[in-house]
């Protein structure tokens, strides 16, 4: 990893994320995930086994989606936050009304995907098939990663295969158009509310994470996935794994895209520190809430509130 300690002005530091190389031994992969997870909860996965063609097809269909006549996209448009499948502009978060500089196609699915894709856009013609293949492959990689992480923490490999990882998964296509305003914000600072986020960024930089008081711009190796831990992982591990704040800044000239698959708890799943992480020396630092409550509590972006774990015993709510 680059020098994380150097004090840098806002957004000026580019950083190569810690590397998790899936071609190494299980022990080495587990250790790399755990090391990165305890420090920043962000890393890049290489040699992940998702075929290059799957990614290329995904990029091509995303390009087609934005090249269609606007009316074809708008038919899927909705400002209703609760709608699982929709196209929208601005934000997924509740805030003071600020609109952010991004367009998003957000889809939801059971796993296996089955009939869920009938609720996805009909155009472009290949979208359903290409998104499905991408989601299956990406989620497969994510599940492998969770099994290795579990083993690394001394847990059963299927630890996250119950309610914690079995909610409907989300699929997103984010587009950040060029923005002339240097103050333009693509995505406001937030921590992810799902369990695990698996993201393919375009080569245009823009994603930043906050570490020791500075923003760092993420750089990845070609064909790598960016993976980051969501807040529920921090809670379950009683703070051992980190879910850190990140944002997307805009670019004056180029459009940036990213596609993501989000592994998510079921709505009724209890989000609380797991027994395995508790002891006399390590009492629970968060209290338990259902994922539905958790999601709602952490859906507000206002002066960095999203990064404050409001279920912390130290935080009055
Ligand atoms: C997100 C996110 C980053 C990106 O969707 O939660 O942080 O690069 N996306 O689009
Ligand atoms: Ni995010």
């Amino acid at each position: 990893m680059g020098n994380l300690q150097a004090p840098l002005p806002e957004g000026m530091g580019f950083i190569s994320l810690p590397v998790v190389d899936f071609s190494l031994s299980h022990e080495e992969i587990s250790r790399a995930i755990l090391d990165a997870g305890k420090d920043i909860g962000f890393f890049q996965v290489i040699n992940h086994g998702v075929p290059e063609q799957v990614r290329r097809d995904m990029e091509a269909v995303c390009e087609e989606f934005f090249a269609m006549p606007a009316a074809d996209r708008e038919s899927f448009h909705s400002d209703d936050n609760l709608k699982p499948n929709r196209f929208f502009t601005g934000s997924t978060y509740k805030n003071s009304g600020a609109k952010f500089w991004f367009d998003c196609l957000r889809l939801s699915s059971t796993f296996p995907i089955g009939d869920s894709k009938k609720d996805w856009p009909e155009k472009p013609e290949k979208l359903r098939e290409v998104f499905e293949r991408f989601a299956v492959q990406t989620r497969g990689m994510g599940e492998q990663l969770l099994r290795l992480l579990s083993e690394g923490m001394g847990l059963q490999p299927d630890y996250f295969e119950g309610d914690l990882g079995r909610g409907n998964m989300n699929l997103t296509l984010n587009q950040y158009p060029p923005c002339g305003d240097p103050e333009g914000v693509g995505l406001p600072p937030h921590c992810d509310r799902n369990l695990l986020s698996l993201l393919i960024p375009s080569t245009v930089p823009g994603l930043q994470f906050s570490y020791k008081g500075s923003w760092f711009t993420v750089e990845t190796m070609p064909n790598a996935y960016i993976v980051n831990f969501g807040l529920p992982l921090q809670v379950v591990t009683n703070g051992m794994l980190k879910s850190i704040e990140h944002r997307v800044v805009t670019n004056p000239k180029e459009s940036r895209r990213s596609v993501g698959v989000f592994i998510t708890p079921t709505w009724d799943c209890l989000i609380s520190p797991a027994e395995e992480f508790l002891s006399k020396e390590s009492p629970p630092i968060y209290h338990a809430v259902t994922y539905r409550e958790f999601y709602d509590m952490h859906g507000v972006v206002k002066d960095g509130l999203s990064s404050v774990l409001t279920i912390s015993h130290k935080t009055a709510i």
Side-chain angles (χ1 to χ4, degrees), residues 146-187:
L146 286 171
R147 282 195 290 275
L148 290 162
L149 171 66
S150 305
E151 282 182 42
M153 297 192 296
L155 305 171
Q156 289 300 318
D158 62 356
Y159 192 80
F160 293 105
E161 289 170 22
D163 288 352
L164 278 169
R166 278 284 174 267
N168 281 359
M169 71 173 160
N170 287 313
L171 274 164
T172 61
L173 158 58
N174 292 331
Q175 162 149 291
Y176 306 91
C179 176
D181 179 355
E183 305 279 294
V185 175
L187 267 190

Side-chain angles (χ1 to χ4, degrees), residues 49-264:
V50 176
E52 176 105 28
Q53 195 58 43
V54 169
R55 174 192 180 137
R56 282 188 206 281
D57 289 349
M58 189 68 184
E59 281 165 359
V61 91
C62 293
E63 184 75 39
E64 263 185 77
F65 180 80
F66 283 107
M68 298 193 299
D72 287 340
R73 274 190 303 284
E74 290 310 311
S75 61
F76 212 70
H77 185 280
S78 170
D79 282 327
D80 180 358
N81 249 330
L82 299 174
K83 229 175 151 215
N85 295 286
R86 63 186 184 119
F87 177 65
F88 60 96
T89 290
S91 179
T92 44
Y93 292 96
K94 290 176 226 154
N95 56 49
S96 48
K99 282 279 183 189
F100 301 103
W101 204 255
F102 93 126
D103 301 316
C104 180
L105 175 65
R106 189 180 175 90
L107 307 178
S108 168
S109 165
T110 54
F111 200 82
I113 293 172
D115 281 350
S116 298
K117 60 179 179 291
K118 290 192 180 142
D119 297 324
W120 298 356
E122 285 174 17
K123 290 183 185 172
E125 202 190 318
K126 285 221 167 79
L127 183 139
R128 292 180 182 178
E129 158 197 341
V130 170
F131 268 56
E132 179 174 28
R133 220 175 306 129
F134 179 78
V136 168
Q137 292 277 341
T138 303
R139 185 177 172 117
M141 191 267 287
E143 289 189 349
Q144 201 180 340
L145 204 151
L146 286 171
R147 282 195 290 275
L148 290 162
L149 171 66
S150 305
E151 282 182 42
M153 297 192 296
L155 305 171
Q156 289 300 318
D158 62 356
Y159 192 80
F160 293 105
E161 289 170 22
D163 288 352
L164 278 169
R166 278 284 174 267
N168 281 359
M169 71 173 160
N170 287 313
L171 274 164
T172 61
L173 158 58
N174 292 331
Q175 162 149 291
Y176 306 91
C179 176
D181 179 355
E183 305 279 294
V185 175
L187 267 190
H190 67 281
C191 292
D192 290 352
R193 290 176 282 179
N194 48 285
L195 188 77
L196 190 73
S197 308
L198 306 144
L199 201 79
I200 290 270
S202 69
T203 48
V204 179
L207 176 60
Q208 300 186 330
F209 66 81
S210 152
Y211 187 78
K212 299 197 172 166
S214 294
W215 288 104
F216 292 87
T217 300
V218 167
E219 277 196 331
T220 48
M221 290 156 85
N223 204 26
Y225 273 88
I226 296 177
V227 178
N228 67 290
F229 292 161
L231 289 170
L233 258 179
Q234 180 168 325
V235 174
V236 169
T237 60
N238 204 31
M240 183 180 90
L241 298 178
K242 302 289 181 285
S243 173
I244 65 160
E245 200 170 30
H246 51 285
R247 67 180 185 183
V248 176
V249 293
T250 50
N251 187 293
K253 294 205 187 79
E254 287 178 284
S255 220
R256 175 174 181 274
R257 272 189 208 141
S258 69
V259 288
V261 170
F262 301 85
I263 297 181
T264 304

Side-chain angles (χ1 to χ4, degrees), residues 21-26 28-29:
D21 182 349
F22 264 31
S23 69
L24 300 179
S25 71
H26 276 195
E28 285 169 301
I29 305 172

Side-chain angles (χ1 to χ4, degrees), residues 289-303:
V289 291
T290 64
Y291 182 60
R292 194 185 303 278
E293 291 168 309
F294 184 90
Y295 189 84
D296 206 41
M297 280 176 185
H298 296 94
V300 183
V301 163
K302 193 177 151 216
D303 301 332

